[in-house]
Amino acid sequence: MTVLSIIRDCLDALLHPSARYDALTRARHRAFMAPRLLGSLAAFAAFPVYLAMRGAPSALEVAAFAWLIAPIMLSWFLSRTGRYEGAHVLSSLALSGLIMAVAVTTGGIASFAAVWLVVVPLEAALSASRRVAAFASLLALSCAGVLIIVSQLGWLPVEEPSAAQRGVLMAFGIASATLYAAGLAFGAESLARTSVVLLSREEERYRLLARNMSDVISRHQRNGAVQFISPAAEAMLGIPVAQLHGHGLFDRVHVADRPAYLTALSDAARGDVRSVEFRLRREPAGSERGQVDFIWVEMRCRPLDQNGGRDPAREVEVVAVMRDVTDRKHSEQALDQARSAAEAADAAKTRFLATMSHELRTPLNAIIGFSEMIAQEQTLMLGAAQRKEYAQLINDSGQHLLSVVNGILDMSKMESGNFEIASEPFAPRAALLHCCNLLALKARENGIDLITDAPQDLPVMTADPRAFKQIVLNLVANAIKFTERGGQVSVSAAVTGSQLTLRISDTGVGIAPDDLKRIGAPFFQAGKTYQRRHEGTGLGLSIVKSLVALHLGELTVQSRLGEGTAVTVKLPLDYTPPQTKPAESKVTTLTPVPRQELHKEIRELHEELNDQRHDQPAPVKKSA
């Protein structure tokens, strides 16, 4: 450890806490205290030697030694208070007081000490304060004026030094003042050099920070022209920073976002703090020519000079910080989509409850009502024909109820991935004609022409024949249901490449464009629920869509309101189901009971009731 480092550590220990954390302030306090402490200690050491050699000192000598020791008090003041300007003011007062005391006793304004008045404002210049420098200048001028007045009034001591002594003293005064001024100059140069070093070090630190920040820092004019932009822009946009200067950044802003971009910069130039989000065109690494990729950027901008923004005539620069917020934007979009999906699910639940309340309640009421009437056949004196009719109505209601429940269960199994497809070879033409024959009677009853076009040379296809029939039955039944009397339903089949193309078209009511986007969703029915003129759960087309997807096929729906609908289904001629066996379903699908077996069970139950009736009278339930 060197002597200079020891002295530096001692001075740093004496510094006020407010000056320990700023390098420039610390250097200034150290420059003020070091020469004064060293000079005072040297005066203390020389004073005994001077007394031994000279004897009793004069008043002037005592004043001089007092001034040489006084800087200790100034250093103590600065160390305790940290008031740098105040310490310089006290130093100027002490120096001026010493000069006045020496000048008054050695000739006034003509004294060799008067030259030192020039040093007073020079010493105050080290404070880097205009107020202190102005005070020191006024103080020196005031002291000079006082000396002139005292000299003119003859208030100075009569004893004057000889010409030889006056020359020696004048030479001493000029030399000492010059040396002191030189010391001040070297101190000022040292402080200036320290300021430059600290400034360059601070600038390098900020440049390093700007180079390593992920956010982009830029400086703009009011019109948006870029004057500086940090190197982080190259990583964000994939182009050199030089191409973004001037209007290069503006040219990469999305056309729709440019007004917001320029408005934010203009408002910031007027003194406001603005934040704006816009899209920037990026050059992705390895992208082909012509490929456009935009990222979302958030920019916070403020005026570089807070006071300059209040002056409209002054050109104010704007500093901005840009950050890539593309991931946040994608998260917001995903959140909006999730919210829309949740709202759609809630709406589907409402439609499901509204539909099921009608589709389940109607057949259940029929089953309960007609079964009560059969149970009271003695009271109502029902004939065999009426009992048969009621039993048939009960059976029809049960079959309808069973089809609704089976549709719901099939849809649930398809959505959960537990619907099994049994793929086997079959003739699609025979299956298609069979389905159309089943629905021909319903078409005639509704006054609709059902036209089937199935070529004789349709090849054998490998798929699930039950699923194929369900697809055809649902689509043709829907077409008949929504076609007015006198309309026409056409069913055609053709082979296109390795696919079988089914087309079912009608001249019915059609589907609105808004509803066409949602066709195929479970429980969705075109039109408003309370305006429906046709029965149904809204599961038919959804089941068709799922069955087609399970066969790796395609389903397209084309429709115009009031002109009809055309549904096209493309199924592969040779479908092989995946080898992985799906998980076993815990839901059991209800299977319709054949009508003959149902009639047989009803007769057996009827005979059993007759046998019991002979033993005890059956209770009779009155119906309202």
Side-chain angles (χ1 to χ4, degrees):
M1 182 177 294
T2 62
V3 177
L4 291 178
S5 62
I6 295 175
I7 296 176
R8 185 184 297 271
D9 293 340
C10 292
L11 288 175
D12 290 342
L14 295 175
L15 294 178
H16 190 265
S18 62
R20 294 177 181 176
Y21 303 103
D22 183 72
L24 184 58
T25 304
R26 186 168 60 249
R28 287 175 176 174
H29 282 227
R30 192 186 297 124
F32 182 87
M33 296 172 64
R36 287 166 175 79
L37 289 176
L38 292 176
S40 299
L41 292 176
F44 266 116
F47 190 65
V49 178
Y50 182 82
L51 290 178
M53 295 177 61
R54 180 65 183 264
S58 63
L60 181 60
E61 293 172 342
V62 171
F65 274 106
W67 179 81
L68 292 175
I69 299 173
I72 293 181
M73 301 303 297
L74 297 178
S75 300
W76 177 85
F77 173 79
L78 181 60
S79 174
R80 291 300 179 183
T81 63
R83 297 171 60 181
Y84 186 66
E85 294 183 1
H88 269 282
V89 170
L90 294 177
S91 179
S92 298
L93 290 173
L95 180 58
S96 299
L98 176 64
I99 294 172
M100 288 294 292
V102 175
V104 168
T105 59
T106 58
I109 193 64
S111 172
F112 72 94
V115 180
W116 275 71
L117 290 176
V118 180
V119 180
V120 175
L122 293 179
E123 183 187 54
L126 294 178
S127 65
S129 172
R130 291 185 177 181
R131 293 183 301 176
V132 176
F135 171 79
S137 300
L138 291 175
L139 181 61
L141 292 174
S142 300
C143 291
V146 170
L147 291 176
I148 293 173
I149 293 173
V150 170
S151 299
Q152 293 297 326
L153 294 177
W155 292 354
L156 296 174
V158 179
E159 180 181 359
E160 294 184 1
S162 61
Q165 291 178 343
R166 187 182 298 112
V168 172
L169 292 175
M170 186 60 67
F172 172 76
I174 294 175
S176 59
T178 304
L179 291 175
Y180 193 80
L184 294 177
F186 281 111
E189 188 274 337
S190 177
L191 287 177
R193 187 171 61 251
T194 303
S195 300
V196 171
V197 171
L198 292 176
L199 182 62
S200 62
R201 188 181 304 169
E202 195 72 14
E203 183 179 357
E204 183 62 27
R205 184 182 296 113
Y206 281 113
R207 289 185 179 275
L208 181 64
L209 183 63
R211 285 194 299 266
N212 291 276
M213 281 184 63
S214 57
D215 295 347
V216 177
I217 302 174
S218 56
R219 192 173 75 248
H220 304 256
Q221 294 180 351
R222 185 190 293 268
N223 61 358
V226 176
Q227 294 181 316
F228 166 80
I229 190 166
S230 63
E234 185 172 351
M236 178 184 291
L237 301 178
I239 61 173
V241 174
Q243 298 184 16
L244 299 175
H245 288 168
H247 292 284
L249 181 64
F250 174 78
D251 294 338
R252 306 190 73 81
V253 178
H254 195 279
V255 176
D257 299 334
R258 290 179 181 179
Y261 169 79
L262 292 177
T263 301
L265 291 176
S266 179
D267 292 344
R270 288 194 294 266
D272 299 328
V273 178
R274 286 289 179 263
S275 178
V276 64
E277 293 182 355
F278 55 90
R279 286 161 289 183
L280 275 177
R281 187 173 75 253
R282 178 176 59 183
E283 299 291 341
S287 61
E288 298 180 358
R289 185 176 181 84
Q291 183 180 358
V292 179
D293 183 17
F294 284 92
I295 62 173
W296 278 97
V297 173
E298 179 188 26
M299 182 178 73
R300 294 183 61 86
C301 47
R302 65 181 67 232
L304 190 62
D305 183 5
Q306 294 288 347
N307 297 325
R310 307 302 176 186
D311 187 5
R314 184 178 177 184
E315 185 69 21
V316 179
E317 295 182 354
V318 176
V319 61
V321 178
M322 290 180 287
R323 175 177 299 177
D324 187 353
V325 293
T326 306
D327 293 339
R328 192 192 72 190
K329 280 291 185 179
H330 289 168
S331 300
E332 291 177 356
Q333 294 175 0
L335 184 61
D336 292 340
Q337 293 176 358
R339 184 184 298 109
S340 301
E343 293 174 355
D346 183 69
K349 181 194 70 174
T350 303
R351 290 195 304 271
F352 170 76
L353 294 177
T355 303
M356 289 301 101
S357 64
H358 175 77
E359 295 296 332
L360 297 179
R361 187 181 298 170
T362 300
L364 285 175
N365 286 335
I367 292 172
I368 294 173
F370 287 113
S371 62
E372 286 183 350
M373 296 178 69
I374 293 177
Q376 300 176 10
E377 60 177 347
Q378 291 183 348
T379 304
L380 300 176
M381 295 185 298
L382 299 177
Q386 288 180 319
R387 287 198 302 272
K388 182 177 180 181
E389 180 183 359
Y390 294 164
Q392 184 62 42
L393 291 174
I394 292 173
N395 180 267
D396 293 341
S397 300
Q399 293 291 339
H400 174 71
L401 184 61
L402 181 61
S403 65
V404 172
V405 174
N406 272 339
I408 296 174
L409 296 180
D410 286 344
M411 194 67 242
S412 176
K413 291 174 67 176
M414 291 176 187
E415 289 184 348
S416 63
N418 293 328
F419 192 87
E420 297 183 6
I421 293 181
S423 183
E424 61 183 55
F426 70 96
R429 183 176 186 276
L432 181 63
L433 294 177
H434 176 71
C435 295
C436 292
N437 291 334
L438 290 178
L439 297 172
L441 179 60
K442 183 178 180 180
R444 284 198 300 270
E445 291 176 351
N446 293 344
I448 298 171
D449 293 334
L450 179 58
I451 302 174
T452 305
D453 181 13
Q456 296 284 346
D457 57 348
L458 283 181
V460 175
M461 66 181 301
T462 302
D464 190 334
R466 294 172 300 171
F468 179 84
K469 293 179 180 179
Q470 193 168 4
I471 291 172
V472 175
L473 288 174
N474 281 333
L475 293 178
V476 177
N478 268 351
I480 295 173
K481 182 192 301 183
F482 294 102
T483 301
E484 301 293 340
R485 182 173 295 274
Q488 177 179 302
V489 176
S490 301
V491 182
S492 63
V495 175
T496 306
S498 61
Q499 290 181 325
L500 176 68
T501 302
L502 298 177
R503 181 178 176 84
I504 296 91
S505 59
D506 60 65
T507 59
V509 296
I511 304 172
D514 293 339
D515 292 337
L516 191 60
K517 301 175 183 178
R518 301 165 59 189
I519 285 294
F523 307 107
F524 173 75
Q525 294 172 309
K528 297 182 180 179
T529 303
Y530 54 82
Q531 293 178 344
R532 290 190 302 120
R533 304 186 314 180
H534 308 282
E535 303 297 332
T537 60
L539 288 175
L541 195 55
S542 179
I543 293 175
V544 170
K545 185 177 179 181
S546 299
L547 290 175
V548 171
L550 288 175
H551 281 83
L552 304 180
E554 299 177 7
L555 173 68
T556 56
V557 181
Q558 298 175 343
S559 180
R560 285 190 178 181
L561 197 62
E563 297 184 6
T565 305
V567 181
T568 304
V569 177
K570 294 182 179 181
L571 298 173
L573 291 174
D574 188 7
Y575 169 72
T576 303
Q579 299 297 327
T580 56
K581 184 177 180 181
E584 295 184 359
S585 175
K586 297 182 179 180
V587 181
T588 303
T589 303
L590 301 179
T591 304
V593 180
R595 182 169 297 181
Q596 294 80 1
E597 296 182 4
L598 181 62
H599 289 174
K600 180 178 179 181
E601 292 180 1
I602 292 175
R603 285 196 300 271
E604 293 177 354
L605 181 61
H606 182 68
E607 293 176 358
E608 183 177 353
L609 291 174
N610 289 334
D611 294 339
Q612 294 178 358
R613 192 178 294 115
H614 291 293
D615 298 335
Q616 56 182 3
V620 177
K621 183 177 180 180
K622 297 182 179 181
S623 59

